[in-house]
Amino acid sequence: MAGTLEGLRVAFLVANEGTEQIELTEPWDAVKREGGSPTLVSLEPGEAALFNHLDRADTWPVDVTVDRTRVDDYHALVLPGGVANPDQLRTSQPAVEFVRGFVESGKPIAVICHGPWTLIEADVVRGRTLTSWPSLRTDIGNAGGEWVDREVVVSEQPSVIVSSRKPADLPAFISTFVEQFARQAAGAR
């Protein structure tokens, strides 16, 4: 599968604190391994403090702030989880508009764990089937989506959203979003 994302620019949108480390680092490494170019987009410049559940872990350098970049700069978007991360993103109007812009432009999104909170705030889950950390079940339903308890789900209308529940789902999540991002990019070329 190496090289399937050759030339693709992938935005990883995170808050400056509270991202689940493994939900950022493993997808990031997969994008690089497949020839893509990942970019860390955040709310503030500097670094993003990552977490292993509730314990502080490593930091990751922010490449650009969400208010200084555009959806047109990327082919796809990844929304890692962690509880605090998407909770902060959903209160940031530039972050919410950035996410909504990917859906409106038909570009694929991959989201895991609590990440769908930002999708809910962007009002892009209506009519879609998604999975997530189980505590978002009611939130997704209240936003007009259908929640299912599966390792990975691909919702294709009106644009692709790949969703997964938790870190244990990362192998299926990564292989599925790599396939979907490559398929979408091939169709756009």
Side-chain angles (χ1 to χ4, degrees):
M1 210 172 16
T4 59
L5 300 182
E6 193 68 43
L8 265 65
R9 295 178 312 277
V10 180
F12 283 73
L13 178 62
V14 301
N16 290 84
E17 187 169 27
T19 300
E20 186 71 28
Q21 180 163 313
I22 196 169
E23 293 175 359
L24 169 66
T25 59
E26 287 198 13
W28 182 281
D29 290 346
V31 167
K32 288 182 76 171
R33 191 171 47 252
E34 295 299 328
S37 299
T39 300
L40 192 67
V41 180
S42 193
L43 304 177
E44 303 286 333
E47 293 185 329
L50 308 179
F51 281 70
N52 290 323
H53 189 53
L54 299 176
D55 298 323
R56 190 173 288 273
D58 298 326
T59 59
W60 204 269
V62 171
D63 294 311
V64 65
T65 58
V66 70
D67 61 340
R68 296 200 177 267
T69 195
R70 306 169 312 128
V71 171
D72 290 345
D73 295 335
Y74 308 98
H75 296 99
L77 172 66
V78 176
L79 294 169
V83 178
N85 169 48
D87 193 48
Q88 293 174 66
L89 291 177
R90 68 182 176 166
T91 65
S92 165
Q93 194 59 37
V96 170
E97 289 173 8
F98 189 68
V99 170
R100 187 180 303 119
F102 274 85
V103 173
E104 290 173 351
S105 66
K107 295 180 179 184
I109 297 173
V111 60
I112 190 166
C113 195
H114 289 78
W117 270 339
T118 312
L119 297 174
I120 290 166
E121 193 65 33
D123 193 25
V124 297
V125 303
R126 190 171 319 283
R128 291 182 178 272
T129 300
L130 300 173
T131 194
S132 67
W133 188 254
S135 65
L136 275 68
R137 177 184 189 151
T138 300
D139 297 332
I140 290 170
N142 287 342
E146 178 186 355
W147 184 88
V148 294
D149 185 12
R150 283 189 281 200
E151 185 177 51
V152 65
V153 174
V154 178
S155 171
E156 296 194 35
Q157 298 299 324
S159 60
V160 169
I161 296 178
V162 176
S163 58
S164 281
R165 303 169 299 189
K166 56 190 173 187
D169 296 339
L170 280 165
F173 177 65
I174 290 168
S175 66
T176 303
F177 87 67
V178 165
E179 176 186 313
Q180 290 296 320
F181 286 9
R183 187 173 65 95
Q184 292 294 311
R189 290 181 184 152

Short mmCIF file of all heavy atoms in Angstrom, two decimals, residues 59-117:
data_model
loop_
_atom_site.label_atom_id
_atom_site.label_comp_id
_atom_site.label_asym_id
_atom_site.label_seq_id
_atom_site.Cartn_x
_atom_site.Cartn_y
_atom_site.Cartn_z
N THR A 59 4.44 16.48 23.36
CA THR A 59 3.92 17.65 22.65
C THR A 59 4.22 17.47 21.17
O THR A 59 5.09 16.68 20.78
CB THR A 59 4.57 18.96 23.15
OG1 THR A 59 5.97 18.89 22.98
CG2 THR A 59 4.20 19.22 24.61
N TRP A 60 3.49 18.19 20.34
CA TRP A 60 3.65 18.09 18.89
C TRP A 60 3.64 19.51 18.34
O TRP A 60 2.77 20.30 18.69
CB TRP A 60 2.47 17.30 18.32
CG TRP A 60 2.73 16.63 17.02
CD1 TRP A 60 2.52 17.17 15.77
CD2 TRP A 60 3.25 15.33 16.80
NE1 TRP A 60 2.86 16.27 14.80
CE2 TRP A 60 3.32 15.12 15.41
CE3 TRP A 60 3.66 14.31 17.64
CZ2 TRP A 60 3.77 13.94 14.84
CZ3 TRP A 60 4.11 13.13 17.08
CH2 TRP A 60 4.16 12.96 15.69
N PRO A 61 4.58 19.86 17.46
CA PRO A 61 4.62 21.23 16.95
C PRO A 61 3.46 21.54 16.00
O PRO A 61 3.13 20.74 15.12
CB PRO A 61 5.96 21.30 16.21
CG PRO A 61 6.32 19.89 15.89
CD PRO A 61 5.68 19.03 16.96
N VAL A 62 2.86 22.69 16.22
CA VAL A 62 1.77 23.17 15.37
C VAL A 62 2.38 23.76 14.11
O VAL A 62 3.31 24.57 14.18
CB VAL A 62 0.92 24.23 16.11
CG1 VAL A 62 -0.08 24.89 15.18
CG2 VAL A 62 0.23 23.60 17.33
N ASP A 63 1.88 23.36 12.96
CA ASP A 63 2.37 23.89 11.68
C ASP A 63 1.70 25.20 11.30
O ASP A 63 2.33 26.10 10.76
CB ASP A 63 2.16 22.86 10.56
CG ASP A 63 3.00 21.61 10.75
OD1 ASP A 63 4.22 21.74 11.01
OD2 ASP A 63 2.43 20.50 10.67
N VAL A 64 0.40 25.30 11.58
CA VAL A 64 -0.36 26.48 11.18
C VAL A 64 -1.62 26.56 12.06
O VAL A 64 -2.15 25.53 12.48
CB VAL A 64 -0.72 26.45 9.67
CG1 VAL A 64 -1.67 25.30 9.34
CG2 VAL A 64 -1.27 27.77 9.18
N THR A 65 -2.08 27.77 12.30
CA THR A 65 -3.34 27.92 13.04
C THR A 65 -4.51 27.88 12.06
O THR A 65 -4.37 28.22 10.88
CB THR A 65 -3.37 29.23 13.85
OG1 THR A 65 -3.18 30.34 12.97
CG2 THR A 65 -2.30 29.22 14.94
N VAL A 66 -5.63 27.44 12.58
CA VAL A 66 -6.80 27.23 11.73
C VAL A 66 -7.27 28.53 11.08
O VAL A 66 -7.82 28.50 9.97
CB VAL A 66 -7.94 26.53 12.53
CG1 VAL A 66 -8.55 27.47 13.56
CG2 VAL A 66 -9.00 25.96 11.59
N ASP A 67 -7.04 29.66 11.72
CA ASP A 67 -7.46 30.94 11.13
C ASP A 67 -6.50 31.43 10.04
O ASP A 67 -6.77 32.43 9.38
CB ASP A 67 -7.65 32.01 12.21
CG ASP A 67 -6.38 32.30 12.99
OD1 ASP A 67 -5.45 31.46 12.98
OD2 ASP A 67 -6.32 33.38 13.62
N ARG A 68 -5.39 30.72 9.84
CA ARG A 68 -4.39 31.12 8.83
C ARG A 68 -4.23 30.08 7.72
O ARG A 68 -3.23 30.09 7.01
CB ARG A 68 -3.06 31.40 9.49
CG ARG A 68 -3.11 32.56 10.46
CD ARG A 68 -1.74 33.10 10.71
NE ARG A 68 -1.79 34.25 11.57
CZ ARG A 68 -1.87 35.51 11.15
NH1 ARG A 68 -1.94 35.76 9.87
NH2 ARG A 68 -1.88 36.50 12.02
N THR A 69 -5.21 29.20 7.59
CA THR A 69 -5.15 28.19 6.54
C THR A 69 -6.53 28.06 5.91
O THR A 69 -7.50 28.63 6.41
CB THR A 69 -4.62 26.85 7.09
OG1 THR A 69 -4.24 26.01 6.00
CG2 THR A 69 -5.62 26.16 7.99
N ARG A 70 -6.59 27.32 4.81
CA ARG A 70 -7.85 27.18 4.09
C ARG A 70 -8.08 25.71 3.72
O ARG A 70 -7.12 24.96 3.53
CB ARG A 70 -7.83 27.97 2.79
CG ARG A 70 -7.49 29.43 2.92
CD ARG A 70 -7.22 30.14 1.59
NE ARG A 70 -6.31 29.40 0.72
CZ ARG A 70 -6.57 29.11 -0.55
NH1 ARG A 70 -7.67 29.47 -1.14
NH2 ARG A 70 -5.70 28.42 -1.27
N VAL A 71 -9.33 25.35 3.59
CA VAL A 71 -9.69 23.99 3.15
C VAL A 71 -9.03 23.68 1.81
O VAL A 71 -8.56 22.57 1.58
CB VAL A 71 -11.23 23.85 3.07
CG1 VAL A 71 -11.62 22.54 2.41
CG2 VAL A 71 -11.85 23.98 4.45
N ASP A 72 -8.93 24.67 0.93
CA ASP A 72 -8.35 24.47 -0.40
C ASP A 72 -6.88 24.05 -0.35
O ASP A 72 -6.34 23.58 -1.35
CB ASP A 72 -8.47 25.74 -1.24
CG ASP A 72 -9.90 26.02 -1.65
OD1 ASP A 72 -10.75 25.12 -1.55
OD2 ASP A 72 -10.17 27.16 -2.09
N ASP A 73 -6.22 24.22 0.81
CA ASP A 73 -4.82 23.84 0.94
C ASP A 73 -4.62 22.34 1.13
O ASP A 73 -3.49 21.87 1.15
CB ASP A 73 -4.19 24.57 2.13
CG ASP A 73 -4.14 26.08 1.94
OD1 ASP A 73 -4.13 26.54 0.78
OD2 ASP A 73 -4.11 26.79 2.97
N TYR A 74 -5.73 21.58 1.28
CA TYR A 74 -5.65 20.17 1.65
C TYR A 74 -6.57 19.31 0.79
O TYR A 74 -7.54 19.78 0.24
CB TYR A 74 -6.03 19.98 3.13
CG TYR A 74 -5.25 20.90 4.03
CD1 TYR A 74 -5.81 22.09 4.48
CD2 TYR A 74 -3.94 20.60 4.40
CE1 TYR A 74 -5.10 22.97 5.27
CE2 TYR A 74 -3.22 21.48 5.20
CZ TYR A 74 -3.80 22.65 5.63
OH TYR A 74 -3.07 23.51 6.42
N HIS A 75 -6.24 18.02 0.77
CA HIS A 75 -7.08 17.03 0.09
C HIS A 75 -8.00 16.30 1.05
O HIS A 75 -9.02 15.75 0.62
CB HIS A 75 -6.20 15.99 -0.62
CG HIS A 75 -5.36 16.59 -1.70
ND1 HIS A 75 -4.03 16.92 -1.51
CD2 HIS A 75 -5.66 16.91 -2.98
CE1 HIS A 75 -3.55 17.43 -2.63
NE2 HIS A 75 -4.51 17.42 -3.54
N ALA A 76 -7.64 16.24 2.34
CA ALA A 76 -8.41 15.46 3.32
C ALA A 76 -8.14 16.00 4.72
O ALA A 76 -7.21 16.77 4.94
CB ALA A 76 -8.02 13.99 3.23
N LEU A 77 -8.97 15.55 5.68
CA LEU A 77 -8.90 16.01 7.06
C LEU A 77 -8.98 14.82 8.00
O LEU A 77 -9.80 13.92 7.80
CB LEU A 77 -10.07 16.96 7.35
CG LEU A 77 -10.28 17.41 8.80
CD1 LEU A 77 -9.13 18.27 9.29
CD2 LEU A 77 -11.61 18.17 8.91
N VAL A 78 -8.14 14.83 9.06
CA VAL A 78 -8.23 13.85 10.14
C VAL A 78 -8.54 14.60 11.43
O VAL A 78 -7.91 15.62 11.73
CB VAL A 78 -6.92 13.05 10.30
CG1 VAL A 78 -7.02 12.10 11.50
CG2 VAL A 78 -6.61 12.27 9.02
N LEU A 79 -9.54 14.09 12.17
CA LEU A 79 -9.93 14.64 13.47
C LEU A 79 -9.65 13.60 14.54
O LEU A 79 -10.46 12.71 14.78
CB LEU A 79 -11.43 15.00 13.47
CG LEU A 79 -11.85 16.12 12.54
CD1 LEU A 79 -13.37 16.20 12.45
CD2 LEU A 79 -11.28 17.45 13.03
N PRO A 80 -8.49 13.68 15.22
CA PRO A 80 -8.21 12.77 16.32
C PRO A 80 -9.14 13.05 17.50
O PRO A 80 -9.76 14.12 17.57
CB PRO A 80 -6.76 13.10 16.70
CG PRO A 80 -6.20 13.84 15.52
CD PRO A 80 -7.36 14.56 14.93
N GLY A 81 -9.18 12.10 18.42
CA GLY A 81 -10.05 12.27 19.58
C GLY A 81 -9.33 12.74 20.82
O GLY A 81 -8.40 13.53 20.75
N GLY A 82 -9.76 12.18 21.94
CA GLY A 82 -9.43 12.70 23.24
C GLY A 82 -10.64 13.49 23.69
O GLY A 82 -11.35 14.06 22.84
N VAL A 83 -10.94 13.53 24.95
CA VAL A 83 -12.15 14.22 25.40
C VAL A 83 -12.03 15.74 25.27
O VAL A 83 -12.91 16.41 24.73
CB VAL A 83 -12.51 13.83 26.85
CG1 VAL A 83 -13.74 14.58 27.33
CG2 VAL A 83 -12.74 12.33 26.96
N ALA A 84 -10.94 16.31 25.78
CA ALA A 84 -10.81 17.77 25.81
C ALA A 84 -10.58 18.37 24.43
O ALA A 84 -11.01 19.50 24.17
CB ALA A 84 -9.66 18.15 26.75
N ASN A 85 -9.90 17.65 23.56
CA ASN A 85 -9.57 18.15 22.23
C ASN A 85 -10.82 18.59 21.44
O ASN A 85 -10.96 19.76 21.11
CB ASN A 85 -8.74 17.10 21.50
CG ASN A 85 -8.56 17.39 20.03
OD1 ASN A 85 -8.21 18.49 19.64
ND2 ASN A 85 -8.81 16.38 19.21
N PRO A 86 -11.74 17.69 21.11
CA PRO A 86 -12.90 18.12 20.32
C PRO A 86 -13.85 19.02 21.10
O PRO A 86 -14.59 19.81 20.50
CB PRO A 86 -13.58 16.81 19.92
CG PRO A 86 -13.12 15.82 20.91
CD PRO A 86 -11.75 16.24 21.33
N ASP A 87 -13.82 18.93 22.43
CA ASP A 87 -14.65 19.84 23.22
C ASP A 87 -14.19 21.28 23.01
O ASP A 87 -15.02 22.19 22.92
CB ASP A 87 -14.61 19.45 24.70
CG ASP A 87 -15.68 20.15 25.51
OD1 ASP A 87 -16.85 20.16 25.06
OD2 ASP A 87 -15.34 20.71 26.57
N GLN A 88 -12.88 21.50 22.91
CA GLN A 88 -12.36 22.84 22.63
C GLN A 88 -12.60 23.24 21.18
O GLN A 88 -12.96 24.38 20.90
CB GLN A 88 -10.87 22.89 22.94
CG GLN A 88 -10.57 22.76 24.42
CD GLN A 88 -9.08 22.67 24.65
OE1 GLN A 88 -8.36 23.64 24.41
NE2 GLN A 88 -8.62 21.50 25.09
N LEU A 89 -12.40 22.31 20.25
CA LEU A 89 -12.58 22.62 18.84
C LEU A 89 -14.00 23.07 18.54
O LEU A 89 -14.22 24.00 17.76
CB LEU A 89 -12.22 21.42 17.96
CG LEU A 89 -10.75 21.02 17.89
CD1 LEU A 89 -10.59 19.77 17.04
CD2 LEU A 89 -9.89 22.15 17.36
N ARG A 90 -14.98 22.42 19.17
CA ARG A 90 -16.37 22.76 18.85
C ARG A 90 -16.78 24.13 19.36
O ARG A 90 -17.83 24.64 18.99
CB ARG A 90 -17.32 21.66 19.34
CG ARG A 90 -17.43 21.52 20.83
CD ARG A 90 -18.35 20.36 21.17
NE ARG A 90 -18.41 20.14 22.60
CZ ARG A 90 -19.32 19.40 23.18
NH1 ARG A 90 -20.26 18.81 22.45
NH2 ARG A 90 -19.31 19.23 24.47
N THR A 91 -15.96 24.75 20.20
CA THR A 91 -16.26 26.11 20.67
C THR A 91 -15.49 27.16 19.86
O THR A 91 -15.63 28.35 20.12
CB THR A 91 -15.92 26.27 22.17
OG1 THR A 91 -14.51 26.13 22.36
CG2 THR A 91 -16.69 25.27 23.01
N SER A 92 -14.71 26.73 18.88
CA SER A 92 -13.95 27.64 18.03
C SER A 92 -14.64 27.78 16.67
O SER A 92 -14.70 26.82 15.90
CB SER A 92 -12.53 27.09 17.83
OG SER A 92 -11.89 27.75 16.75
N GLN A 93 -15.15 28.95 16.39
CA GLN A 93 -15.84 29.17 15.12
C GLN A 93 -14.94 28.90 13.92
O GLN A 93 -15.38 28.24 12.97
CB GLN A 93 -16.42 30.59 15.06
CG GLN A 93 -17.43 30.77 13.95
CD GLN A 93 -18.63 29.83 14.06
OE1 GLN A 93 -19.12 29.52 15.14
NE2 GLN A 93 -19.09 29.34 12.93
N PRO A 94 -13.67 29.34 13.92
CA PRO A 94 -12.82 29.01 12.78
C PRO A 94 -12.63 27.49 12.60
O PRO A 94 -12.61 27.01 11.47
CB PRO A 94 -11.48 29.69 13.11
CG PRO A 94 -11.86 30.83 14.01
CD PRO A 94 -13.01 30.30 14.83
N ALA A 95 -12.51 26.74 13.69
CA ALA A 95 -12.35 25.29 13.59
C ALA A 95 -13.63 24.65 13.03
O ALA A 95 -13.56 23.78 12.15
CB ALA A 95 -12.01 24.68 14.94
N VAL A 96 -14.77 25.08 13.52
CA VAL A 96 -16.05 24.53 13.06
C VAL A 96 -16.26 24.84 11.57
O VAL A 96 -16.66 23.97 10.79
CB VAL A 96 -17.22 25.06 13.91
CG1 VAL A 96 -18.57 24.71 13.31
CG2 VAL A 96 -17.10 24.55 15.35
N GLU A 97 -15.94 26.05 11.16
CA GLU A 97 -16.09 26.42 9.75
C GLU A 97 -15.11 25.64 8.87
O GLU A 97 -15.45 25.26 7.75
CB GLU A 97 -15.88 27.92 9.58
CG GLU A 97 -17.02 28.74 10.15
CD GLU A 97 -16.76 30.23 10.14
OE1 GLU A 97 -15.75 30.68 9.57
OE2 GLU A 97 -17.58 30.96 10.74
N PHE A 98 -13.90 25.39 9.38
CA PHE A 98 -12.90 24.61 8.65
C PHE A 98 -13.44 23.20 8.39
O PHE A 98 -13.40 22.70 7.26
CB PHE A 98 -11.62 24.57 9.49
CG PHE A 98 -10.42 23.98 8.81
CD1 PHE A 98 -9.81 24.60 7.73
CD2 PHE A 98 -9.85 22.81 9.30
CE1 PHE A 98 -8.67 24.07 7.13
CE2 PHE A 98 -8.71 22.27 8.71
CZ PHE A 98 -8.13 22.89 7.63
N VAL A 99 -13.99 22.58 9.42
CA VAL A 99 -14.56 21.23 9.29
C VAL A 99 -15.73 21.24 8.31
O VAL A 99 -15.81 20.40 7.41
CB VAL A 99 -14.97 20.68 10.66
CG1 VAL A 99 -15.78 19.40 10.52
CG2 VAL A 99 -13.73 20.44 11.53
N ARG A 100 -16.64 22.18 8.47
CA ARG A 100 -17.80 22.28 7.58
C ARG A 100 -17.34 22.46 6.13
O ARG A 100 -17.92 21.89 5.19
CB ARG A 100 -18.71 23.43 8.00
CG ARG A 100 -20.01 23.47 7.20
CD ARG A 100 -20.94 24.62 7.62
NE ARG A 100 -21.24 24.57 9.03
CZ ARG A 100 -20.93 25.54 9.91
NH1 ARG A 100 -20.31 26.63 9.50
NH2 ARG A 100 -21.26 25.44 11.18
N GLY A 101 -16.27 23.21 5.94
CA GLY A 101 -15.74 23.45 4.59
C GLY A 101 -15.29 22.18 3.89
O GLY A 101 -15.45 22.05 2.67
N PHE A 102 -14.76 21.23 4.64
CA PHE A 102 -14.35 19.95 4.03
C PHE A 102 -15.58 19.21 3.51
O PHE A 102 -15.56 18.66 2.41
CB PHE A 102 -13.57 19.09 5.02
CG PHE A 102 -12.11 19.41 5.05
CD1 PHE A 102 -11.63 20.44 5.84
CD2 PHE A 102 -11.22 18.71 4.26
CE1 PHE A 102 -10.29 20.75 5.86
CE2 PHE A 102 -9.87 19.02 4.26
CZ PHE A 102 -9.40 20.05 5.06
N VAL A 103 -16.63 19.18 4.30
CA VAL A 103 -17.85 18.49 3.87
C VAL A 103 -18.45 19.20 2.67
O VAL A 103 -18.81 18.56 1.67
CB VAL A 103 -18.87 18.39 5.03
CG1 VAL A 103 -20.19 17.82 4.54
CG2 VAL A 103 -18.29 17.53 6.15
N GLU A 104 -18.56 20.52 2.74
CA GLU A 104 -19.16 21.28 1.64
C GLU A 104 -18.37 21.16 0.34
O GLU A 104 -18.94 21.20 -0.74
CB GLU A 104 -19.31 22.75 2.04
CG GLU A 104 -20.38 22.95 3.10
CD GLU A 104 -20.44 24.37 3.64
OE1 GLU A 104 -19.54 25.20 3.32
OE2 GLU A 104 -21.40 24.66 4.38
N SER A 105 -17.05 20.98 0.45
CA SER A 105 -16.23 20.85 -0.75
C SER A 105 -16.11 19.41 -1.22
O SER A 105 -15.45 19.14 -2.23
CB SER A 105 -14.84 21.45 -0.50
OG SER A 105 -14.15 20.68 0.46
N GLY A 106 -16.71 18.47 -0.49
CA GLY A 106 -16.68 17.07 -0.89
C GLY A 106 -15.38 16.35 -0.56
O GLY A 106 -15.13 15.26 -1.07
N LYS A 107 -14.56 16.94 0.30
CA LYS A 107 -13.29 16.31 0.66
C LYS A 107 -13.49 15.37 1.84
O LYS A 107 -14.26 15.64 2.75
CB LYS A 107 -12.26 17.39 1.01
CG LYS A 107 -11.92 18.25 -0.19
CD LYS A 107 -10.90 19.31 0.14
CE LYS A 107 -10.59 20.12 -1.10
NZ LYS A 107 -9.54 21.11 -0.85
N PRO A 108 -12.77 14.23 1.84
CA PRO A 108 -12.99 13.21 2.88
C PRO A 108 -12.44 13.61 4.24
O PRO A 108 -11.46 14.35 4.35
CB PRO A 108 -12.27 11.99 2.33
CG PRO A 108 -11.20 12.55 1.45
CD PRO A 108 -11.78 13.81 0.85
N ILE A 109 -13.10 13.07 5.26
CA ILE A 109 -12.73 13.29 6.66
C ILE A 109 -12.63 11.94 7.35
O ILE A 109 -13.44 11.05 7.10
CB ILE A 109 -13.80 14.15 7.38
CG1 ILE A 109 -13.90 15.54 6.75
CG2 ILE A 109 -13.52 14.24 8.88
CD1 ILE A 109 -15.04 16.39 7.30
N ALA A 110 -11.63 11.81 8.23
CA ALA A 110 -11.52 10.64 9.10
C ALA A 110 -11.61 11.15 10.54
O ALA A 110 -10.94 12.13 10.89
CB ALA A 110 -10.21 9.91 8.87
N VAL A 111 -12.44 10.52 11.37
CA VAL A 111 -12.68 10.99 12.73
C VAL A 111 -12.77 9.80 13.67
O VAL A 111 -13.32 8.76 13.33
CB VAL A 111 -13.97 11.85 12.77
CG1 VAL A 111 -15.19 11.05 12.34
CG2 VAL A 111 -14.19 12.48 14.13
N ILE A 112 -12.19 9.96 14.86
CA ILE A 112 -12.16 8.85 15.81
C ILE A 112 -12.50 9.34 17.22
O ILE A 112 -12.27 10.50 17.55
CB ILE A 112 -10.78 8.14 15.77
CG1 ILE A 112 -10.80 6.84 16.58
CG2 ILE A 112 -9.67 9.07 16.18
CD1 ILE A 112 -9.61 5.92 16.33
N CYS A 113 -13.07 8.43 18.00
CA CYS A 113 -13.32 8.61 19.43
C CYS A 113 -14.33 9.74 19.69
O CYS A 113 -15.47 9.65 19.28
CB CYS A 113 -11.98 8.83 20.14
SG CYS A 113 -12.01 8.64 21.92
N HIS A 114 -13.92 10.80 20.39
CA HIS A 114 -14.80 11.94 20.68
C HIS A 114 -14.78 12.98 19.56
O HIS A 114 -15.48 13.98 19.64
CB HIS A 114 -14.38 12.60 22.00
CG HIS A 114 -14.69 11.79 23.22
ND1 HIS A 114 -13.91 10.72 23.61
CD2 HIS A 114 -15.68 11.90 24.13
CE1 HIS A 114 -14.41 10.20 24.71
NE2 HIS A 114 -15.48 10.89 25.05
N GLY A 115 -13.99 12.74 18.52
CA GLY A 115 -13.87 13.69 17.40
C GLY A 115 -15.18 14.13 16.78
O GLY A 115 -15.29 15.27 16.33
N PRO A 116 -16.22 13.28 16.71
CA PRO A 116 -17.47 13.71 16.10
C PRO A 116 -18.14 14.92 16.76
O PRO A 116 -19.02 15.53 16.16
CB PRO A 116 -18.37 12.46 16.18
CG PRO A 116 -17.40 11.34 16.08
CD PRO A 116 -16.23 11.81 16.92
N TRP A 117 -17.74 15.27 17.98
CA TRP A 117 -18.31 16.49 18.57
C TRP A 117 -18.12 17.70 17.66
O TRP A 117 -18.99 18.54 17.54
CB TRP A 117 -17.68 16.77 19.93
CG TRP A 117 -18.39 16.14 21.09
CD1 TRP A 117 -19.68 15.70 21.15
CD2 TRP A 117 -17.83 15.88 22.38
NE1 TRP A 117 -19.95 15.18 22.38
CE2 TRP A 117 -18.83 15.29 23.16
CE3 TRP A 117 -16.57 16.10 22.94
CZ2 TRP A 117 -18.62 14.92 24.48
CZ3 TRP A 117 -16.36 15.73 24.25
CH2 TRP A 117 -17.38 15.14 25.01
#
